[in-house]
C-alpha cells in the first residue's frame, strides 16, 4: 500500500508538472504568434491570440491545432483613394494546420465578426459628412451642401448593404427638402457612397452587415483561411 501511495503521489506531481509546462508553452506560443501575424495589403494595430484545447504540446507536435481565437484591432486598407479602417475583428479558426517552421497557418474553416466604428466610417465618407447610428438597423448621415451660395445641412436615414461580398454601400432612404430643385442630387452626392472593405485574412468572406449602436457589425466566414507570419 505504501508503494502504491508513493506511485500515486509521483503520478500527481508529474501530471502537475506536465500541465504547468503545457500551459507555459501555450502562453509562449500565443505571444509569439500575436507578434507575427500579418494581413496582406493592410496594416494592423494589435493582435491577440488564444489557443484552445488541451494538451497543447501534443497538438503542436502534430502541426495541427483544434481551435485558435484571433482578435485583430485596427485593420487599415486604402481602396481607390479611400481609407477604411476595421476597428476590430474577432474570428474562431478551426482545424488550424501549421506550416513547417511555424511561419504560417491555414484554418480549415472560420467564423467571426468585424466591426467598423462610426468614427472610422465617418473618416471613410466624403469630406464634411458625419455618420452615426440611426436606430432600427439604419445609419444617420449628415452632410452640408451649397445651394446658390447658401450652405444647407441635411440629415438622412440610410440603409447599409453589402455589394458583391466586399463593398459597403450606403444609400439614403429619402432626402428631406425635395421641393428645392436639385437639392436631392446634391445631398446624395455627399451622403451616398460605396467603400470597399479589405484587409481581411485570405479566405475570409463578408456575409452579412448590420448597423448597431457600437458600429457596423459584419459577420465573416471562410474556408482555408490563411494567416501569414
Amino acid at each position: 500500500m505504501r508503494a502504491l501511495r508513493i506511485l500515486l503521489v509521483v503520478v500527481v506531481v508529474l501530471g502537475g508538472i506536465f500541465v504547468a509546462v503545457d500551459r507555459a508553452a501555450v502562453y509562449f506560443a500565443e505571444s509569439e504568434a500575436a507578434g507575427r501575424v500579418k494581413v496582406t495589403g493592410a496594416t494592423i494595430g494589435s493582435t491577440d491570440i488564444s489557443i484552445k484545447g488541451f494538451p497543447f504540446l501534443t497538438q503542436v507536435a502534430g502541426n495541427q491545432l483544434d481551435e485558435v481565437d484571433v482578435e485583430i484591432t485596427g485593420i487599415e486598407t486604402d481602396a481607390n483613394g479611400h481609407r477604411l479602417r476595421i476597428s476590430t475583428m474577432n474570428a474562431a479558426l478551426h482545424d488550424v494546420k501549421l506550416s513547417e517552421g511555424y511561419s504560417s497557418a491555414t484554418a480549415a474553416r472560420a467564423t467571426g465578426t468585424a466591426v467598423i466604428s462610426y468614427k472610422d466610417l465617418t473618416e471613410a465618407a466624403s469630406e464634411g459628412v458625419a455618420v452615426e447610428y440611426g436606430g432600427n438597423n439604419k445609419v444617420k448621415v449628415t452632410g452640408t451642401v451649397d445651394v446658390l451660395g447658401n450652405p444647407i445641412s441635411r440629415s438622412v436615414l440610410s440603409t447599409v448593404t453589402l455589394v458583391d461580398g466586399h463593398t459597403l454601400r450606403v444609400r439614403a432612404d429619402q432626402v428631406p427638402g425635395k421641393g428645392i430643385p436639385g437639392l436631392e442630387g446634391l445631398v446624395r452626392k455627399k451622403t451616398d457612397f460605396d467603400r470597399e472593405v479589405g484587409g481581411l485574412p485570405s479566405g475570409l468572406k463578408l456575409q452579412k452587415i448590420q448597423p448597431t449602436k457600437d458600429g457596423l457589425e459584419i459577420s465573416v466566414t471562410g474556408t482555408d483561411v490563411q494567416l501569414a507570419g
Side-chain angles (χ1 to χ4, degrees):
M1 291 297 293
R2 182 171 182 272
L4 180 59
R5 286 197 297 269
I6 294 174
L7 179 60
L8 290 175
V9 169
V10 170
V11 170
V12 171
V13 170
L14 290 179
I17 293 174
F18 175 78
V19 171
V21 171
D22 191 81
R23 295 302 87 190
V26 168
Y27 178 79
F28 176 78
E30 291 173 343
S31 299
E32 284 292 305
R36 296 171 61 181
V37 170
K38 296 178 182 178
V39 179
T40 303
T43 60
I44 61 177
S46 62
T47 304
D48 185 70
I49 302 288
S50 179
I51 300 173
K52 306 298 184 181
F54 177 83
F56 165 71
L57 292 174
T58 57
Q59 293 184 70
V60 77
N63 288 337
Q64 181 116 1
L65 304 178
D66 296 337
E67 180 181 341
V68 178
D69 291 348
V70 179
E71 179 179 353
I72 303 177
T73 301
I75 305 174
E76 295 188 19
T77 59
D78 192 296
N80 300 321
H82 295 285
R83 184 185 71 87
L84 180 59
R85 180 178 185 270
I86 298 175
S87 309
T88 59
M89 188 206 70
N90 295 277
L93 312 179
H94 299 274
D95 298 329
V96 181
K97 184 69 175 179
L98 305 175
S99 67
E100 292 295 330
Y102 311 117
S103 60
S104 63
T106 302
R109 63 190 188 282
T111 57
T113 302
V115 176
I116 300 175
S117 71
Y118 293 117
K119 176 183 177 182
D120 288 326
L121 188 57
T122 293
E123 292 183 2
S126 302
E127 184 177 356
V129 170
V131 186
E132 58 188 308
Y133 183 56
N136 297 320
N137 294 321
K138 304 288 184 179
V139 296
K140 179 182 176 181
V141 186
T142 302
T144 300
V145 297
D146 185 276
V147 179
L148 299 177
N150 298 310
I152 296 179
S153 179
R154 284 291 184 272
S155 293
V156 296
L157 287 178
S158 300
T159 299
V160 185
T161 56
L162 284 175
V163 180
D164 297 329
H166 57 75
T167 300
L168 181 155
R169 173 165 291 174
V170 180
R171 291 291 184 272
D173 295 346
Q174 58 182 352
V175 177
K178 289 185 177 180
I180 303 177
L183 178 62
E184 181 174 359
L186 290 173
V187 172
R188 286 191 177 276
K189 283 183 179 180
K190 281 281 190 177
T191 61
D192 292 359
F193 59 92
D194 291 358
R195 294 294 182 267
E196 185 174 346
V197 181
L200 294 177
S202 176
L204 276 181
K205 300 181 183 300
L206 309 178
Q207 292 294 318
K208 181 182 178 182
I209 190 167
Q210 180 176 352
T212 71
K213 292 181 179 179
D214 298 323
L216 299 181
E217 286 191 1
I218 308 174
S219 59
V220 297
T221 187
T223 56
D224 297 327
V225 178
Q226 298 178 9
L227 289 178

